[in-house]
Amino acid sequence: MTLRNLSVLRKGSSMASVLSRRLGKRSLLGARVLGPPGAAAPSEPQTELLEGVAPQPFLASKDTSCQEQPKEILKAPGTSGLQQVAFQPGQKVSVWYGGQECTGLVEQHSWAEDKVTVWLLDQKLQICCKAEEVWLAELQGPVPQAPPPEQGTQAPGYRPVSRNIDVPKRKSDAVEMDEMMAAMVLTSLSCSPVVQSPPGAEANFSASRATCDLWKESGDVSDSGSSTTSGHWSASSGISTPSPPHPQASPKYLGDAFGSPQTDNGFETDPDAFLLDEPAPRKRKNSVKVMYKCLWPNCGKVLRSIVGIKRHVKALHLGDTVDSDQFKREEDFYYTEVQMKEEAAATGAPTADPAPAPSMTSPPLALLPPPPPKTQSSGPEHPGLDSYLPSGALSKSAPGSFWHIQADHAYQALPSFQIPVSPHIYTSISWAAAPSTASSLSPVRSRSLSFSEPQQPPPAVKSHLIVTSPPRAQSSARKARGEAKKCRKVYGIEHRDQWCTACRWKKACQRFLD
DNA sequence: GTTGCCGGGGG
DNA sequence: CCCCCGGCAAC
């Protein structure tokens, strides 16, 4: 009996060992994850904690209110510009006229002057206005038609292209536009992290992130320390944005970003911001549709287009803001990008919002550190903003990183397994939410996977609820002696060659985990 | 004494 | 890195 078993075992494991030897050493996954709580576990829990804190969208968001401005300006052309670009004669558009929004048909679009001649259906008259003041009628969502008059006049007024495009050298408008277009196209093409990562990668992504978290216990150390991680990170993030990888959102970092910029910084966005700007509507997996959800308290309106949502926010929520001059484009902060399943989206169901927004909001906020006293500047509605934005920023945990399991020794090869993570954890990064300049990338790094996805803890790891950041559990603590049979027992010393490498090297057995 | 592993060391 | 081994602690 025993004998037989043994042989069977041998057979099985020998294969395994071979396999493992082949793949094993490199396959990092098995080791740590499965490892006994002793070593790996302690760090685990923290992750969770950190997740809440780390991202700190809050700060970002805050800054956003002020800092974003400049950036937004840059972005502005993107949104309106999108449409500006292509007004075709006969196209149905909307335009602000006489303090209200009117629909009409495009008569002519003069590129040189960037003006559009529109035939207003309602008024039966023809007007000529700046291209920015015109938008495609189809695009706008169901916007309540109650934009305060002054807003109306303002709207066009404050979309001065000139401002947005305040580029050093000014060539002809046409050229300018072209460049913009090109940039936008490029961005949009290259932006979506989701699209870029193949399914498999995706899993890795999320997983990796989790791992990363594991390994970084304390924000700072981890951040700088885990070279691997950051490396990949930057790589991945790099894809999505041209801007250089930023240090992750470590509290410290944020703090800095925070502190400096706000006051004087109104306009001093770092150059990168420019590049970052236009995330443009991203492409999603086929099944998912991108919607934009209004974050205004008690609103939750979901629209299909950015323009729509912006207008919604502006008109409905920001409409009366007099000082909108200062906070123009504030709308950007009040919506978030949301992915909806095709069906849901199709039906236009505002109901289903996988929207991460509200849910995530609260936790981080609680933990968030010092809200700078900067709110003052922001308009009346800003308080709301604070709470909402962050979530937005946060939620958009971006593409995630790769699972780097840094097992100190993955001696051998258990078939690596991947931690199941559902793909849609990726919330898009709404550019609006992208915190100001510096931290631009930080949200990406945010570890807040949790919210949308119940984190799937690696099997072997006991789920600890960790409350406080425990120092590494006694680092010296030996791994508790495993109870399972180990290679030595199973194969015997005579067949040492059949042991798993770890065993051979007198390391923790990787074949027979406990 | 045996076994499982960590830390270290050599190539 | 890969591989080994001394030595410690749990059995």
Side-chain angles (χ1 to χ4, degrees), chain A residues 9 61 242 385 463:
Chain A
L9 255 176
S61 67
L385 219 179
S463 57

Side-chain angles (χ1 to χ4, degrees), chain A residues 227-346:
Chain A
S227 56
T228 12
T229 305
S230 56
H232 270 270
W233 242 97
S234 51
S236 61
S237 55
I239 296 173
S240 48
T241 40
S243 76
H246 282 276
Q248 286 51 18
S250 74
K252 201 205 306 179
Y253 179 79
L254 281 180
D256 291 345
F258 199 8
S260 54
Q262 72 175 102
T263 353
D264 46 341
N265 238 2
F267 282 86
E268 163 190 82
T269 321
D270 73 70
D272 297 349
F274 193 99
L275 297 179
L276 287 182
D277 63 85
E278 184 56 40
R282 301 165 181 212
K283 296 172 193 160
R284 298 287 139 125
K285 287 196 166 173
N286 347 348
S287 55
V288 184
K289 181 151 192 178
V290 184
M291 306 285 277
Y292 299 89
K293 182 181 183 184
C294 176
L295 293 178
W296 195 270
N298 299 325
C299 182
K301 185 147 196 121
V302 178
L303 297 179
R304 272 171 303 176
S305 71
I306 288 191
V307 183
I309 196 69
K310 281 192 173 192
R311 297 191 58 238
H312 160 84
V313 172
K314 218 186 330 176
L316 210 57
H317 304 309
L318 299 179
D320 35 337
T321 318
V322 175
D323 52 329
S324 54
D325 262 61
Q326 215 179 350
F327 302 101
K328 50 189 103 185
R329 302 250 156 260
E330 209 171 351
E331 331 85 84
D332 292 346
F333 301 97
Y334 290 89
Y335 70 85
T336 184
E337 202 173 327
V338 168
Q339 294 184 26
M340 302 184 109
K341 294 263 179 186
E342 196 65 304
E343 323 94 44

Side-chain angles (χ1 to χ4, degrees), chain A residues 336-339 353-361 391 395-396 427 451-452:
Chain A
T336 184
E337 202 173 327
V338 168
Q339 294 184 26
D353 68 59
S359 51
M360 17 177 97
T361 307
S391 67
S395 60
K396 341 278 169 162
T427 343
F451 63 79
S452 64

Side-chain angles (χ1 to χ4, degrees), chain A residues 6 393 409 463:
Chain A
L6 204 137
H409 283 298
S463 57

